[in-house]
Short mmCIF file of all heavy atoms in Angstrom, two decimals:
data_model
loop_
_atom_site.label_atom_id
_atom_site.label_comp_id
_atom_site.label_asym_id
_atom_site.label_seq_id
_atom_site.Cartn_x
_atom_site.Cartn_y
_atom_site.Cartn_z
N VAL W 86 17.66 -97.24 26.98
CA VAL W 86 18.82 -97.72 27.75
C VAL W 86 20.11 -97.19 27.14
O VAL W 86 21.02 -96.71 27.84
CB VAL W 86 18.83 -99.25 27.81
CG1 VAL W 86 20.12 -99.75 28.46
CG2 VAL W 86 17.63 -99.78 28.58
N GLY W 87 20.20 -97.23 25.80
CA GLY W 87 21.39 -96.74 25.12
C GLY W 87 21.58 -95.24 25.28
O GLY W 87 22.73 -94.77 25.41
N VAL W 88 20.50 -94.48 25.29
CA VAL W 88 20.60 -93.03 25.49
C VAL W 88 21.19 -92.73 26.87
O VAL W 88 22.02 -91.83 27.03
CB VAL W 88 19.21 -92.36 25.32
CG1 VAL W 88 19.24 -90.91 25.81
CG2 VAL W 88 18.78 -92.41 23.87
N GLY W 89 20.77 -93.49 27.88
CA GLY W 89 21.33 -93.30 29.21
C GLY W 89 22.82 -93.57 29.24
O GLY W 89 23.60 -92.78 29.81
N PHE W 90 23.24 -94.67 28.62
CA PHE W 90 24.68 -94.98 28.57
C PHE W 90 25.44 -93.90 27.81
O PHE W 90 26.56 -93.51 28.21
CB PHE W 90 24.90 -96.34 27.92
CG PHE W 90 24.76 -97.50 28.86
CD1 PHE W 90 23.78 -98.46 28.65
CD2 PHE W 90 25.60 -97.62 29.95
CE1 PHE W 90 23.65 -99.53 29.51
CE2 PHE W 90 25.47 -98.70 30.82
CZ PHE W 90 24.49 -99.64 30.60
N LEU W 91 24.88 -93.40 26.72
CA LEU W 91 25.55 -92.36 25.95
C LEU W 91 25.73 -91.09 26.78
O LEU W 91 26.79 -90.45 26.72
CB LEU W 91 24.73 -92.05 24.69
CG LEU W 91 25.31 -91.00 23.74
CD1 LEU W 91 26.68 -91.45 23.23
CD2 LEU W 91 24.36 -90.76 22.56
N GLY W 92 24.73 -90.75 27.56
CA GLY W 92 24.86 -89.58 28.44
C GLY W 92 25.98 -89.75 29.44
O GLY W 92 26.74 -88.82 29.70
N PHE W 93 26.10 -90.95 30.02
CA PHE W 93 27.19 -91.20 30.96
C PHE W 93 28.54 -91.11 30.28
O PHE W 93 29.49 -90.52 30.84
CB PHE W 93 27.02 -92.57 31.61
CG PHE W 93 26.00 -92.62 32.70
CD1 PHE W 93 24.86 -93.40 32.56
CD2 PHE W 93 26.16 -91.89 33.86
CE1 PHE W 93 23.92 -93.46 33.56
CE2 PHE W 93 25.23 -91.93 34.88
CZ PHE W 93 24.10 -92.72 34.73
N PHE W 94 28.67 -91.68 29.09
CA PHE W 94 29.96 -91.66 28.40
C PHE W 94 30.36 -90.24 28.01
O PHE W 94 31.54 -89.88 28.05
CB PHE W 94 29.89 -92.55 27.16
CG PHE W 94 29.71 -94.01 27.48
CD1 PHE W 94 29.07 -94.86 26.59
CD2 PHE W 94 30.18 -94.53 28.67
CE1 PHE W 94 28.89 -96.21 26.89
CE2 PHE W 94 30.03 -95.88 28.98
CZ PHE W 94 29.38 -96.71 28.09
N ILE W 95 29.37 -89.41 27.65
CA ILE W 95 29.69 -88.02 27.31
C ILE W 95 30.20 -87.27 28.54
O ILE W 95 31.19 -86.53 28.48
CB ILE W 95 28.45 -87.33 26.72
CG1 ILE W 95 28.12 -87.90 25.35
CG2 ILE W 95 28.67 -85.82 26.61
CD1 ILE W 95 26.82 -87.37 24.75
N LYS W 96 29.54 -87.46 29.67
CA LYS W 96 29.95 -86.74 30.88
C LYS W 96 31.27 -87.25 31.44
O LYS W 96 32.00 -86.50 32.10
CB LYS W 96 28.87 -86.86 31.94
CG LYS W 96 27.57 -86.15 31.60
CD LYS W 96 26.61 -86.11 32.76
CE LYS W 96 27.07 -85.11 33.82
NZ LYS W 96 26.08 -84.98 34.90
N LEU W 97 31.58 -88.53 31.19
CA LEU W 97 32.80 -89.10 31.76
C LEU W 97 33.98 -89.04 30.79
O LEU W 97 35.07 -89.52 31.13
CB LEU W 97 32.55 -90.56 32.15
CG LEU W 97 31.61 -90.76 33.35
CD1 LEU W 97 31.30 -92.22 33.55
CD2 LEU W 97 32.23 -90.17 34.61
N PHE W 98 33.81 -88.43 29.61
CA PHE W 98 34.94 -88.26 28.70
C PHE W 98 35.77 -87.07 29.17
O PHE W 98 35.27 -85.95 29.27
CB PHE W 98 34.43 -88.03 27.28
CG PHE W 98 35.54 -87.78 26.28
CD1 PHE W 98 36.33 -88.82 25.85
CD2 PHE W 98 35.79 -86.49 25.80
CE1 PHE W 98 37.35 -88.60 24.95
CE2 PHE W 98 36.79 -86.27 24.90
CZ PHE W 98 37.59 -87.33 24.47
N ARG W 99 37.04 -87.32 29.46
CA ARG W 99 37.92 -86.31 30.06
C ARG W 99 37.21 -85.69 31.26
O ARG W 99 37.03 -84.48 31.38
CB ARG W 99 38.29 -85.24 29.05
CG ARG W 99 39.09 -85.74 27.87
CD ARG W 99 40.45 -86.27 28.29
NE ARG W 99 41.29 -85.20 28.86
CZ ARG W 99 42.47 -85.40 29.44
NH1 ARG W 99 42.93 -86.63 29.58
NH2 ARG W 99 43.17 -84.39 29.89
N ALA W 100 36.82 -86.56 32.19
CA ALA W 100 35.97 -86.15 33.30
C ALA W 100 36.75 -85.35 34.32
O ALA W 100 37.96 -85.50 34.48
CB ALA W 100 35.37 -87.39 33.96
N SER W 101 36.02 -84.49 35.01
CA SER W 101 36.59 -83.78 36.14
C SER W 101 36.43 -84.64 37.40
O SER W 101 35.84 -85.72 37.37
CB SER W 101 35.88 -82.44 36.34
OG SER W 101 34.53 -82.64 36.72
N GLU W 102 36.95 -84.14 38.51
CA GLU W 102 36.80 -84.88 39.76
C GLU W 102 35.33 -85.02 40.15
O GLU W 102 34.90 -86.05 40.66
CB GLU W 102 37.59 -84.17 40.86
CG GLU W 102 37.67 -84.95 42.17
CD GLU W 102 38.54 -84.26 43.20
OE1 GLU W 102 39.07 -83.17 42.88
OE2 GLU W 102 38.68 -84.80 44.30
N SER W 103 34.55 -83.98 39.91
CA SER W 103 33.12 -84.02 40.20
C SER W 103 32.41 -85.05 39.33
O SER W 103 31.54 -85.79 39.82
CB SER W 103 32.50 -82.63 39.99
OG SER W 103 31.10 -82.66 40.14
N ASN W 104 32.78 -85.13 38.06
CA ASN W 104 32.16 -86.11 37.17
C ASN W 104 32.47 -87.54 37.63
O ASN W 104 31.58 -88.40 37.63
CB ASN W 104 32.67 -85.93 35.74
CG ASN W 104 32.15 -84.66 35.09
OD1 ASN W 104 32.91 -83.89 34.50
ND2 ASN W 104 30.86 -84.41 35.19
N MET W 105 33.71 -87.79 38.03
CA MET W 105 34.07 -89.13 38.47
C MET W 105 33.33 -89.51 39.73
O MET W 105 32.94 -90.66 39.92
CB MET W 105 35.58 -89.23 38.69
CG MET W 105 36.39 -89.15 37.41
SD MET W 105 35.97 -90.45 36.21
CE MET W 105 36.33 -91.92 37.16
N LEU W 106 33.11 -88.54 40.62
CA LEU W 106 32.44 -88.83 41.88
C LEU W 106 30.96 -89.12 41.68
O LEU W 106 30.45 -90.17 42.07
CB LEU W 106 32.63 -87.67 42.86
CG LEU W 106 31.92 -87.81 44.21
CD1 LEU W 106 32.45 -89.00 44.97
CD2 LEU W 106 32.09 -86.53 45.02
N PHE W 107 30.26 -88.18 41.04
CA PHE W 107 28.80 -88.29 40.92
C PHE W 107 28.39 -89.15 39.71
O PHE W 107 27.56 -90.06 39.85
CB PHE W 107 28.18 -86.91 40.82
CG PHE W 107 28.30 -86.11 42.08
CD1 PHE W 107 29.25 -85.11 42.21
CD2 PHE W 107 27.46 -86.35 43.16
CE1 PHE W 107 29.36 -84.37 43.37
CE2 PHE W 107 27.56 -85.62 44.33
CZ PHE W 107 28.52 -84.64 44.44
N ASP W 108 28.97 -88.86 38.55
CA ASP W 108 28.57 -89.60 37.34
C ASP W 108 29.12 -91.02 37.34
O ASP W 108 28.49 -91.94 36.83
CB ASP W 108 29.01 -88.84 36.10
CG ASP W 108 28.37 -87.48 36.00
OD1 ASP W 108 27.15 -87.38 36.28
OD2 ASP W 108 29.06 -86.50 35.67
N GLY W 109 30.32 -91.19 37.90
CA GLY W 109 30.88 -92.54 37.99
C GLY W 109 30.02 -93.43 38.89
O GLY W 109 29.73 -94.59 38.54
N ALA W 110 29.60 -92.90 40.04
CA ALA W 110 28.73 -93.67 40.94
C ALA W 110 27.37 -93.91 40.30
O ALA W 110 26.79 -94.99 40.45
CB ALA W 110 28.58 -92.94 42.26
N SER W 111 26.86 -92.92 39.57
CA SER W 111 25.58 -93.09 38.88
C SER W 111 25.68 -94.18 37.82
O SER W 111 24.75 -94.98 37.65
CB SER W 111 25.15 -91.77 38.23
OG SER W 111 24.93 -90.77 39.19
N LEU W 112 26.80 -94.24 37.11
CA LEU W 112 26.98 -95.28 36.08
C LEU W 112 27.01 -96.67 36.71
O LEU W 112 26.46 -97.62 36.16
CB LEU W 112 28.27 -95.01 35.31
CG LEU W 112 28.63 -96.04 34.22
CD1 LEU W 112 27.51 -96.15 33.19
CD2 LEU W 112 29.95 -95.67 33.55
N VAL W 113 27.64 -96.79 37.89
CA VAL W 113 27.67 -98.08 38.57
C VAL W 113 26.25 -98.52 38.93
O VAL W 113 25.86 -99.68 38.71
CB VAL W 113 28.56 -98.00 39.83
CG1 VAL W 113 28.40 -99.26 40.68
CG2 VAL W 113 30.01 -97.81 39.45
N LEU W 114 25.45 -97.60 39.46
CA LEU W 114 24.06 -97.94 39.79
C LEU W 114 23.26 -98.29 38.53
O LEU W 114 22.43 -99.21 38.54
CB LEU W 114 23.40 -96.77 40.52
CG LEU W 114 23.87 -96.49 41.95
CD1 LEU W 114 23.15 -95.28 42.52
CD2 LEU W 114 23.65 -97.70 42.84
N TYR W 115 23.51 -97.55 37.48
CA TYR W 115 22.81 -97.81 36.20
C TYR W 115 23.14 -99.21 35.68
O TYR W 115 22.26 -99.93 35.20
CB TYR W 115 23.22 -96.74 35.20
CG TYR W 115 22.30 -96.61 34.01
CD1 TYR W 115 21.10 -95.92 34.10
CD2 TYR W 115 22.65 -97.14 32.77
CE1 TYR W 115 20.26 -95.78 33.00
CE2 TYR W 115 21.83 -97.01 31.66
CZ TYR W 115 20.64 -96.32 31.78
OH TYR W 115 19.81 -96.19 30.69
N LEU W 116 24.42 -99.60 35.79
CA LEU W 116 24.82 -100.94 35.36
C LEU W 116 24.18 -102.01 36.23
O LEU W 116 23.78 -103.07 35.73
CB LEU W 116 26.35 -101.06 35.41
CG LEU W 116 27.14 -100.33 34.32
CD1 LEU W 116 28.63 -100.34 34.64
CD2 LEU W 116 26.88 -100.97 32.97
N ILE W 117 24.08 -101.74 37.52
CA ILE W 117 23.40 -102.69 38.41
C ILE W 117 21.94 -102.85 38.00
O ILE W 117 21.39 -103.96 37.97
CB ILE W 117 23.51 -102.23 39.88
CG1 ILE W 117 24.97 -102.32 40.35
CG2 ILE W 117 22.62 -103.06 40.79
CD1 ILE W 117 25.20 -101.73 41.73
N GLY W 118 21.29 -101.72 37.67
CA GLY W 118 19.91 -101.78 37.24
C GLY W 118 19.73 -102.59 35.96
O GLY W 118 18.80 -103.41 35.86
N VAL W 119 20.62 -102.40 35.00
CA VAL W 119 20.55 -103.17 33.76
C VAL W 119 20.78 -104.66 34.04
O VAL W 119 20.11 -105.53 33.46
CB VAL W 119 21.58 -102.64 32.73
CG1 VAL W 119 21.64 -103.54 31.51
CG2 VAL W 119 21.21 -101.22 32.31
N GLY W 120 21.70 -104.95 34.96
CA GLY W 120 21.95 -106.35 35.31
C GLY W 120 20.74 -107.00 35.96
O GLY W 120 20.40 -108.16 35.65
N VAL W 121 20.07 -106.30 36.87
CA VAL W 121 18.86 -106.83 37.49
C VAL W 121 17.77 -107.05 36.45
O VAL W 121 17.06 -108.06 36.48
CB VAL W 121 18.37 -105.86 38.60
CG1 VAL W 121 16.99 -106.27 39.11
CG2 VAL W 121 19.36 -105.84 39.76
N TYR W 122 17.65 -106.11 35.53
CA TYR W 122 16.63 -106.23 34.49
C TYR W 122 16.87 -107.45 33.60
O TYR W 122 15.95 -108.23 33.33
CB TYR W 122 16.62 -104.94 33.65
CG TYR W 122 15.78 -105.04 32.40
CD1 TYR W 122 14.40 -105.06 32.46
CD2 TYR W 122 16.39 -105.12 31.14
CE1 TYR W 122 13.63 -105.17 31.30
CE2 TYR W 122 15.63 -105.23 29.99
CZ TYR W 122 14.26 -105.24 30.07
OH TYR W 122 13.50 -105.34 28.93
N VAL W 123 18.10 -107.64 33.17
CA VAL W 123 18.41 -108.75 32.26
C VAL W 123 18.36 -110.09 32.99
O VAL W 123 17.82 -111.09 32.47
CB VAL W 123 19.79 -108.53 31.60
CG1 VAL W 123 20.20 -109.75 30.78
CG2 VAL W 123 19.76 -107.29 30.72
N ALA W 124 18.93 -110.14 34.18
CA ALA W 124 19.07 -111.42 34.88
C ALA W 124 17.77 -111.91 35.49
O ALA W 124 17.52 -113.14 35.51
CB ALA W 124 20.13 -111.30 35.97
N ASN W 125 16.94 -111.00 35.98
CA ASN W 125 15.73 -111.43 36.69
C ASN W 125 14.44 -111.14 35.92
O ASN W 125 13.61 -112.02 35.74
CB ASN W 125 15.66 -110.75 38.06
CG ASN W 125 16.73 -111.25 39.01
OD1 ASN W 125 17.36 -112.27 38.76
ND2 ASN W 125 16.94 -110.56 40.10
N ILE W 126 14.29 -109.89 35.49
CA ILE W 126 13.00 -109.49 34.92
C ILE W 126 12.80 -110.10 33.54
O ILE W 126 11.75 -110.69 33.25
CB ILE W 126 12.90 -107.95 34.88
CG1 ILE W 126 12.97 -107.40 36.30
CG2 ILE W 126 11.60 -107.52 34.21
CD1 ILE W 126 12.98 -105.89 36.37
N VAL W 127 13.80 -109.97 32.67
CA VAL W 127 13.66 -110.53 31.33
C VAL W 127 13.50 -112.05 31.38
O VAL W 127 12.65 -112.64 30.69
CB VAL W 127 14.88 -110.14 30.46
CG1 VAL W 127 14.84 -110.87 29.12
CG2 VAL W 127 14.89 -108.64 30.22
N LYS W 128 14.30 -112.68 32.21
CA LYS W 128 14.18 -114.15 32.34
C LYS W 128 12.81 -114.54 32.87
O LYS W 128 12.20 -115.52 32.41
CB LYS W 128 15.29 -114.66 33.25
CG LYS W 128 15.37 -116.17 33.32
CD LYS W 128 16.52 -116.61 34.21
CE LYS W 128 17.85 -116.22 33.61
NZ LYS W 128 18.99 -116.74 34.41
N GLY W 129 12.30 -113.80 33.85
CA GLY W 129 10.98 -114.10 34.38
C GLY W 129 9.88 -113.91 33.35
O GLY W 129 8.93 -114.70 33.28
N LEU W 130 10.00 -112.84 32.54
CA LEU W 130 9.01 -112.62 31.49
C LEU W 130 9.01 -113.76 30.46
O LEU W 130 7.96 -114.16 29.97
CB LEU W 130 9.28 -111.28 30.79
CG LEU W 130 8.97 -110.02 31.60
CD1 LEU W 130 9.44 -108.78 30.86
CD2 LEU W 130 7.47 -109.92 31.89
N ARG W 131 10.19 -114.26 30.15
CA ARG W 131 10.27 -115.38 29.21
C ARG W 131 9.60 -116.62 29.80
O ARG W 131 8.90 -117.36 29.07
CB ARG W 131 11.73 -115.68 28.88
CG ARG W 131 12.39 -114.63 28.00
CD ARG W 131 13.86 -114.92 27.81
NE ARG W 131 14.50 -113.93 26.96
CZ ARG W 131 15.81 -113.87 26.76
NH1 ARG W 131 16.61 -114.76 27.35
NH2 ARG W 131 16.32 -112.95 25.97
N MET W 132 9.79 -116.85 31.08
CA MET W 132 9.17 -118.01 31.72
C MET W 132 7.65 -117.88 31.70
O MET W 132 6.94 -118.85 31.43
CB MET W 132 9.68 -118.12 33.16
CG MET W 132 11.18 -118.38 33.27
SD MET W 132 11.62 -120.06 32.83
CE MET W 132 10.88 -120.95 34.17
N VAL W 133 7.16 -116.68 32.02
CA VAL W 133 5.71 -116.47 32.03
C VAL W 133 5.15 -116.63 30.63
O VAL W 133 4.11 -117.28 30.42
CB VAL W 133 5.38 -115.07 32.60
CG1 VAL W 133 3.90 -114.77 32.44
CG2 VAL W 133 5.78 -115.00 34.07
N SER W 134 5.80 -116.02 29.65
CA SER W 134 5.29 -116.06 28.29
C SER W 134 5.28 -117.47 27.73
O SER W 134 4.42 -117.84 26.93
CB SER W 134 6.14 -115.16 27.39
OG SER W 134 5.64 -115.12 26.08
N ALA W 135 6.25 -118.31 28.15
CA ALA W 135 6.32 -119.69 27.66
C ALA W 135 5.41 -120.62 28.44
O ALA W 135 5.29 -121.80 28.07
CB ALA W 135 7.76 -120.20 27.74
N GLY W 136 4.78 -120.12 29.51
CA GLY W 136 3.90 -120.97 30.31
C GLY W 136 4.64 -122.10 30.98
O GLY W 136 4.18 -123.26 30.98
N ALA W 137 5.79 -121.79 31.59
CA ALA W 137 6.63 -122.83 32.17
C ALA W 137 5.94 -123.58 33.30
O ALA W 137 6.22 -124.76 33.52
CB ALA W 137 7.93 -122.22 32.68
N TRP W 138 5.03 -122.91 34.02
CA TRP W 138 4.38 -123.54 35.17
C TRP W 138 3.14 -124.35 34.78
O TRP W 138 2.51 -124.95 35.64
CB TRP W 138 4.03 -122.49 36.21
CG TRP W 138 5.22 -121.72 36.65
CD1 TRP W 138 6.23 -122.16 37.45
CD2 TRP W 138 5.57 -120.39 36.28
NE1 TRP W 138 7.18 -121.19 37.62
CE2 TRP W 138 6.80 -120.09 36.91
CE3 TRP W 138 4.97 -119.42 35.49
CZ2 TRP W 138 7.43 -118.85 36.76
CZ3 TRP W 138 5.60 -118.19 35.35
CH2 TRP W 138 6.83 -117.92 35.97
N HIS W 139 2.79 -124.33 33.52
CA HIS W 139 1.61 -125.06 33.07
C HIS W 139 1.98 -126.26 32.20
O HIS W 139 1.10 -126.86 31.60
CB HIS W 139 0.69 -124.10 32.29
CG HIS W 139 0.27 -122.90 33.07
ND1 HIS W 139 -0.61 -122.97 34.13
CD2 HIS W 139 0.62 -121.60 32.96
CE1 HIS W 139 -0.79 -121.75 34.64
NE2 HIS W 139 -0.04 -120.91 33.95
N ARG W 140 3.27 -126.57 32.13
CA ARG W 140 3.69 -127.72 31.36
C ARG W 140 3.37 -129.01 32.11
O ARG W 140 3.32 -129.04 33.35
CB ARG W 140 5.19 -127.63 31.05
CG ARG W 140 5.56 -126.41 30.23
CD ARG W 140 6.96 -126.51 29.65
NE ARG W 140 7.98 -126.76 30.66
CZ ARG W 140 9.29 -126.72 30.39
NH1 ARG W 140 9.70 -126.43 29.17
NH2 ARG W 140 10.17 -126.95 31.34
N ASP W 141 3.19 -130.06 31.37
CA ASP W 141 2.82 -131.33 31.98
C ASP W 141 3.91 -131.90 32.88
O ASP W 141 3.63 -132.60 33.85
CB ASP W 141 2.47 -132.35 30.88
CG ASP W 141 1.25 -131.92 30.08
OD1 ASP W 141 0.42 -131.17 30.63
OD2 ASP W 141 1.14 -132.32 28.89
N ASP W 142 5.18 -131.60 32.53
CA ASP W 142 6.29 -132.18 33.29
C ASP W 142 6.72 -131.31 34.46
O ASP W 142 7.73 -131.60 35.11
CB ASP W 142 7.49 -132.44 32.38
CG ASP W 142 7.97 -131.16 31.70
OD1 ASP W 142 7.20 -130.17 31.68
OD2 ASP W 142 9.11 -131.14 31.19
N PHE W 143 5.98 -130.24 34.74
CA PHE W 143 6.36 -129.37 35.86
C PHE W 143 5.63 -129.81 37.12
O PHE W 143 4.41 -129.93 37.14
CB PHE W 143 6.02 -127.91 35.55
CG PHE W 143 6.34 -126.97 36.69
CD1 PHE W 143 7.66 -126.63 36.96
CD2 PHE W 143 5.33 -126.46 37.50
CE1 PHE W 143 7.96 -125.78 38.02
CE2 PHE W 143 5.63 -125.60 38.54
CZ PHE W 143 6.94 -125.27 38.81
N ASP W 144 6.39 -130.06 38.18
CA ASP W 144 5.84 -130.46 39.47
C ASP W 144 6.06 -129.34 40.47
O ASP W 144 7.21 -129.09 40.88
CB ASP W 144 6.50 -131.75 39.96
CG ASP W 144 5.86 -132.27 41.24
OD1 ASP W 144 4.87 -131.66 41.70
OD2 ASP W 144 6.37 -133.27 41.79
N PRO W 145 5.03 -128.58 40.88
CA PRO W 145 5.23 -127.46 41.79
C PRO W 145 5.69 -127.86 43.18
O PRO W 145 6.17 -127.02 43.94
CB PRO W 145 3.84 -126.81 41.84
CG PRO W 145 2.89 -127.90 41.47
CD PRO W 145 3.62 -128.77 40.51
#
Side-chain angles (χ1 to χ4, degrees):
V86 173
V88 168
F90 276 118
L91 182 60
F93 282 116
F94 294 152
I95 291 174
K96 293 189 74 175
L97 290 173
F98 178 74
R99 297 296 296 172
S101 66
E102 188 176 0
S103 174
N104 290 132
M105 291 302 300
L106 177 62
F107 292 102
D108 298 317
S111 297
L112 178 58
V113 170
L114 290 178
Y115 198 79
L116 286 170
I117 292 173
V119 173
V121 170
Y122 169 72
V123 173
N125 291 347
I126 299 176
V127 172
K128 187 178 294 185
L130 289 173
R131 289 175 179 172
M132 297 287 292
V133 172
S134 183
W138 303 287
H139 303 289
R140 299 194 305 189
D141 296 334
D142 59 343
F143 177 75
D144 185 4

